[in-house]
Amino acid sequence: MAKATRLVLGFLPQDRQPRPEEVQNAVNAIFGMLAAQGENLDRDQLAKEIEAMTAVFQERSLALVDPKGHEPWLPEAKNDRAWDFWERYRRYLEDIVNLPPWVVRRLDQSSDEVLSQLEDPRRSGPWRRQGLVIGQVQSGKTGQYIGLAAKAVDAGYRFVVVLAGIHNDLRSQTQLRIDEGLLGFDTQHQNRSNADGRSRAIGAGAMPLAKKLDIASPTSSAEKGDFGLATAKAINFPLGSFPVVLVVKKHYKILEYLRNWVIDVHGTEDEKVVKDLPLFVIDDEADNASINTVRDPEADPTKTNAAIRRLMKSFDKAAYVGYTATPFANIYIDPEVDHDVAGEDLFPYSFIRSLPSPSNYLGPERVFGLQVDDEDEEDVEPLPLVRHVDDADAWLPAKHRSGDSPGEKLPQSLRDAIFSFVLACAARRARGQTKVHNSMLVHVTRFTAVQTLVRDQVDDHLRLIVDMIRDRYGKGPELRAELRALWERDFVPTTEKFPADEAQRLTWEQVSEQLLPALRKIQVKTVNGTSKDALDYYENRRNGLSVIAIGGQKLSRGLTLDGLTVSYYLRVSKTYDTLLQMGRWFGYRPGYEDVCRLYTTPALEDAYVEVTAATDELRREVEEMAALSLTPKEFGLKVRSSSLGLTVTAANKMRQSAKILLSYSGEGPETVIFKLGAIETNYRALETLVRRLDSVAEPVSEVPGGNVQWGGVPPEIVSEFLYSYEADRMAQRVRPRLIAKYVEQCAKVGELGNWTVCLVGSTTSKTPQDIAGHTVGLVTRKALNDGFRAEGRYTIRRVLSPPDELIDLDEAQEAAAREAARKAAAQKEKASAPKNPAGPHIRRQRRTDQGLLLIYPIELPKSDDDDESMAPLVGFQVSFPHSEYQSKTEYIANTIWLQEDIYTIDEEDEG
């Protein structure tokens, strides 16, 4: 099958997605050829495999680039250097890892784009480049930077340092990936590929006919294989004649050992600088531990940050590329800092590149849904994988201490989650996925002592299940009935919502047969800084490891849980980046997406919806600014003063400490979460606004029940309405008082002086509403939370209907917005321009005095108990132009945020 797959893929077009008929023709041709040679193949299975591989699509990456001091070099170098490491890695991805060809081509393309922004390692004289690559959590960033490292050593970078996390197991996991993809040998047995004695080839080095390439690594994939004094003494090879790759923890002592060793071996006596040995630093999870968290940017930086900067400064030719899914902290680095000893900070002034995920990636958007600020892109509906937990507080309260013990009885939700994991393992076995890894994550506490107690409880419960299911007469039938009920109540209807080719339908009998073999394999382990347990996926790669991992901080960044199906997650956090990094359930789940589950609280699900929107907005910001050819420094300043900069990262990772610079320049804040207890207050605020509008401007209403519009409105009327509007405290990104403050600040410098206010009505509505003398049809917006009455808040995906933002633009402005949208679509290789330009394109065309306030009276679905005279919900969106006085209109949101924050647990590091 593997041979047939390779042959079919070779037949297909290499420069674009193949069409379905081209796939079928290629399958028929190869099937016929192999059948003629006597090869017995299942044609339908072959066609299915190829269709799955070629259906995966990945858009191009986009970047902000600053060419200052950079000399283009890669096109020429493509012809004058051998690209052996890359070719070997590419073959490994296609033939061994079985990545879809389109994804490998995109990886080739994006790694070329990053490499081209670094300097040619053969370029003479001192030079330095610093960049940042933004990818999704668990989306394949490691695979991308291994490809980049392979090309870098091919190009002539002879000293590559990979900074891999702050824990030993993440470092050794990363080293193992580099052993397989780049080095081609097992570093636990040798430190150079052409070492004397028996070679331990693995990964790319163990492929048939793989080239033997000279490369070394003083660090190893053993738990204690990091760089140290003993490692330095044992190194017996020179530097500079072949590539040397090190994978080290982000710890200042290790980085100092490394710097001192390389200066001793290769540095110049007088200057303590390494010359003519180009350094390439890859910083994995670049927003963690690498950030200078000292309050004063001129003061001595934090130790790890200083150690990375000193390492860079010790080489006269150096390149640095940070990789992260949560770049908020990196964008807050001061680009102007240059310390006497540590040198420049790690701001990515050369480039910021955004890597889109392949279409088969199970990311935040698909788990939690996403509202899209673009009429031509459909909103992403969430997959039905989240299950609410509302019974865990009695067992383990959210605010517990390190000495607390969980209650004696596991909550029903955790029992269901364990049952779901057993069913997921059994279902995968029934689908033929027998020798695979299966993982369950239980993330309920950051305290290691509490984790141990949870592990013991879960382990006891699991052993009880195994004993019961073996009992054919007593408790066994009762337990199987309970599992069957969960299967039929939860798994069958969920799988029905997936296309038939993505999720194989199973009968209960097929699953039931696999319950005992699935259960026997499951182990329970704690994963933290003090536990002896290790998730030894590599050692179990032949038969697969089934594990329930109980953990905290260690599981929240970088560490991959292979075959993760069920997550039980209660750990709150108050920053976007920590929440996203804790989401280890994102990734690739081919053939078992439908059996994945996330058990969490409604409040945490709401927080993830919010985070998903914020990170999507950041990625779109990169794309928009890339289309405008802006540089990273311009981008850094833009985001630093954006309404995104609210609670995006820990306060000490922001240059201004807990003070957050706030500007709504070019933004379009809109209400999507409504406090049901504030319905009457907000409706009164709307009626007061309408009366004020009627007193200063002539209302325009074209059709009965439709929009009512006022022009030439002064800014104080808009800010008065915003001050009187009461938002739900979950609506973290729409704080009406801060928006009102921003309007006032702009008005002081001669901006936002001329507003259009539009009360948006629906002409098809059957429920007209009299609002201060104007009859308007109520609009409808479907609730995302069915239990909104019990929760006391009504959550929707979007209040804005995107074309409404065009309401007050003149013809020239609208034409310019459409042209900008067309150019952006062309850059992203989209077949056609969007029907309507997205919000950012519209807002860029606004004059600085031209603000738009859209107000949506929303019909609240009635229940039998509701009062007939109940007022509608009042939603709004504000369309702000780009300010020319951003620095003068910034509002410093200091303690307000900390007081109003709903999450209060500090993010302390664990042991």
Side-chain angles (χ1 to χ4, degrees), residues 449-724:
V450 185
Q451 287 167 20
T452 303
L453 296 172
V454 171
R455 194 272 316 270
D456 293 345
Q457 280 193 340
V458 171
D459 196 41
D460 287 347
H461 184 67
L462 190 73
R463 287 173 193 278
L464 182 67
I465 295 172
V466 175
D467 289 346
M468 282 169 68
I469 210 152
R470 282 186 177 138
D471 182 356
R472 300 181 65 178
Y473 302 105
K475 295 277 188 183
E478 192 183 310
L479 182 69
R480 279 182 188 269
E482 201 177 335
L483 283 161
R484 180 173 189 163
L486 180 62
W487 174 261
E488 289 173 352
R489 177 178 80 242
D490 187 332
F491 284 77
V492 172
T494 301
T495 300
E496 287 296 329
K497 291 175 184 168
F498 283 74
D501 56 342
E502 285 179 23
Q504 183 188 334
R505 312 294 191 245
L506 296 168
T507 63
W508 168 246
E509 286 66 34
Q510 289 171 299
V511 176
S512 183
E513 271 176 31
Q514 300 296 338
L515 285 174
L516 193 54
L519 265 164
R520 280 188 180 130
K521 277 186 79 170
I522 300 172
Q523 306 169 48
V524 183
K525 298 191 172 196
T526 45
V527 184
N528 55 47
T530 59
S531 77
K532 300 284 183 287
D533 292 343
L535 298 179
D536 40 7
Y537 293 114
Y538 186 70
E539 288 76 4
N540 289 279
R541 62 193 180 281
R542 303 236 187 286
N543 296 310
L545 178 71
S546 288
V547 64
I548 299 178
I550 320 281
Q553 195 78 354
K554 249 195 180 183
L555 291 175
S556 71
R557 192 178 273 275
L559 200 66
T560 301
L561 293 166
D562 287 345
L564 179 64
T565 46
V566 178
S567 300
Y568 189 84
Y569 174 80
L570 306 178
R571 172 84 181 279
V572 296
S573 162
K574 56 180 164 183
T575 65
Y576 286 177
D577 46 11
T578 307
L579 278 167
L580 264 184
Q581 290 292 351
M582 286 179 175
R584 309 322 297 171
W585 47 82
F586 306 129
Y588 300 95
R589 307 283 184 264
Y592 63 102
E593 269 189 2
D594 62 310
V595 296
C596 293
R597 295 290 180 272
L598 167 58
Y599 284 80
T600 193
T601 62
L604 267 165
E605 185 182 19
D606 288 345
Y608 271 104
V609 169
E610 162 82 12
V611 173
T612 303
T615 43
D616 182 70
E617 197 169 316
L618 184 71
R619 271 194 294 277
R620 285 167 186 273
E621 195 85 52
V622 172
E623 289 168 4
E624 183 203 344
M625 299 189 87
L628 296 167
S629 305
L630 296 177
T631 68
K633 278 190 181 178
E634 291 167 298
F635 178 71
L637 294 170
K638 166 72 178 67
V639 170
R640 194 172 305 147
S641 59
S642 144
S643 60
L644 264 183
L646 303 181
T647 41
V648 292
T649 186
N652 65 358
K653 288 185 181 177
M654 297 191 219
R655 189 168 57 88
Q656 296 289 332
S657 184
K659 291 181 180 176
I660 301 147
L661 298 169
L662 183 85
S663 162
Y664 286 96
S665 171
E667 304 275 334
E670 62 179 298
T671 48
V672 290
I673 303 175
F674 301 91
K675 181 177 177 180
L676 297 184
I679 289 178
E680 296 298 333
T681 305
N682 292 337
Y683 188 66
R684 280 198 300 276
L686 171 59
E687 288 189 310
T688 304
L689 169 69
V690 171
R691 290 191 197 99
R692 288 287 318 268
L693 291 169
D694 282 343
S695 70
V696 298
E698 192 62 39
V700 177
S701 180
E702 292 178 1
V703 285
N707 296 359
V708 185
Q709 194 168 318
W710 296 263
V713 176
E716 57 272 17
I717 290 182
V718 171
S719 54
E720 274 172 26
F721 165 71
L722 292 167
Y723 273 124
S724 59

Side-chain angles (χ1 to χ4, degrees), residues 23 740 851:
V23 170

Side-chain angles (χ1 to χ4, degrees), residues 58 148 517 575 761 842 876:
Q58 189 172 11
L148 176 62
T575 65
I842 296 171
F876 68 80

Side-chain angles (χ1 to χ4, degrees), residues 313 339 524 647 687 696 748 789 865 891 896:
K313 195 179 176 183
H339 191 266
V524 183
T647 41
E687 288 189 310
V696 298
K748 283 179 190 166
R789 281 185 174 78
D865 306 329
Y891 172 76
I896 299 170

